[in-house]
Amino acid sequence: MVNGEEGGSGNNGVQVRQRRRLPDFLQSVNLKYVKLGYHYLMSHLLTLCLVPLMAVVVVEASRLSLDDIHRLWIQLQYNLVGFVVFSAVVVFASTVYIMSRPRAVYLVDYACYLPPSRLRVKYEQFMEHSKLTGDFDESSLEFQRKILERSGLGEETVVPEAMHYIPPRPSMAAAREEAEQVMFGALDKLFANTNVKPRDVGILVVNCSLFNPTPSLSAMIVNKYKMRGNIRSFNLGGMGCSAGVVAVDLAKDMLQVHRNSYAIVVSTENITQNWYFGNKKSMLIPNCLFRVGGAAVLLSNWPSDRRRSKYKLVHVVRTHCGANDKAFKCVYQEQDDVGKTGVSLSKDLMAIAGGALKTNITTLGPLVLPISEQILFFVTLVAKKLFNAKIKPYIPDFKLAFDHFCIHAGGRAVIDELEKNLQLLPVHAEASRMTLHRFGNTSSSSIWYELAYTEAKGRMRKGNRVWQIAFGSGFKCNSAVWIALRNVKPSPNNPWEDCIHRYPVQLNP
């Protein structure tokens, strides 16, 4: 998903609308989404009941003396039937618990692609090339200049090599080259850092929204690394910037089925063949914000991998608003009036994003918030519903549930509004803002650059909880929650290692 702070329609004159704000979604919460969140809790009720019961049994057993144990054994000898029935119940309950308990999914490591510095594009270079292509009129050029100035992007973001030529040279071959450089660059680092062999990987999930050639991107990876023939590979297309969380969720589900397996998730976007060369304002914004980037993530359900893994996956919550026509079309790939293809952003984008986020966090809340926050939130919500009173709903403090926030770096306005509505501190949105500044909107991989920033700053401690949240076309809002298994240090070739000392930077207002 991209920023919604500017937009326009028509080709005459420069029209830059005022920043569109997310609705104050925490002031209007639908009760059915709260019920959905509690449904997730009830699905784990067996675990919540059995664990305390087993703890009580262990504590009571530890208090028994040898004489108590001897007397208990004598009584059991006279009550053999009862003992057998009790033992059968314990065995059955234990079996049900073990079989129904989901397998732990560990994030062993991940790697982000660091584009070469020769492909960086500065503001003036971007505007000069846009002018020299001859495809944009003066109104469109001025519009792009204003977008760049307010975008939050820095001077070191990268566009594909094909866009550096005058005129640009988008082609299928150039798009394949971009995809290979990004995916293979990230995967090479991942395999080197984890010492996992490509043939040991049993599950592969690749997501790229706008570039889906034949053979697929996942097949390109299988061919490059000579992966095994029975690998379960998936290629997700057209799912937007939130597809990275979708890919993680799919890999998680596959790891529940296949024991002792490795899964790799590759998240990227392809720009080469998706640059817009027209003058429709609503289709020009992606040119200004999207930049080259990608990430590769290694997941595992091997119990022995817990010791070396960075994180454990706790929750994935997905929200899809595609049943609503406005939501479905708010980020829409189409041709303009002269037949040039691009991605159009609706004027309703920010409002739709706010609605999707409201649904997502209301479902997520009961899973992650402390019970005190849940009670306050639920009581005020019920009071408002029952008495129709002008009661201001209690806004849960998500800072009590999470230590780090990875908000998709879709645009400056989205980050600002999320920080405001969730009542976050500037440090909580720092990783997102700095990722947008250094790398631009790298689509579904941005949340991994943000996590890498937090690690490079040395802020990740054992037990810390991380919230990754992303938006995407369709329209979707997806969340992933991780818990750090140790004090996490940045892996070799962290994308921030050559510049972390310069961050955070002061951004223009």
Side-chain angles (χ1 to χ4, degrees), residues 26 31 121 159 177 250 465:
L26 288 173
L31 186 61
V121 56
V159 298
E177 183 179 358
L250 175 57
R465 291 198 167 210

Side-chain angles (χ1 to χ4, degrees), residues 308-377:
R308 67 165 181 153
S309 296
K310 289 185 172 183
Y311 306 95
K312 177 183 175 181
L313 183 61
V314 183
H315 301 294
V316 176
V317 174
R318 294 165 55 183
T319 301
H320 203 309
C321 303
N324 180 286
D325 290 341
K326 285 187 177 181
F328 176 72
K329 290 189 175 181
C330 71
V331 181
Y332 201 77
Q333 187 179 28
E334 60 183 356
Q335 291 182 324
D336 63 13
D337 294 338
V338 295
K340 295 185 177 180
T341 302
V343 176
S344 177
L345 305 181
S346 165
K347 63 182 181 180
D348 301 317
L349 176 59
M350 294 295 284
I352 291 167
L357 178 62
K358 177 185 70 176
T359 304
N360 191 268
I361 67 172
T362 309
T363 305
L364 181 67
L367 301 176
V368 298
L369 287 169
I371 189 64
S372 58
E373 291 293 298
Q374 294 187 46
I375 291 174
L376 287 171
F377 174 70

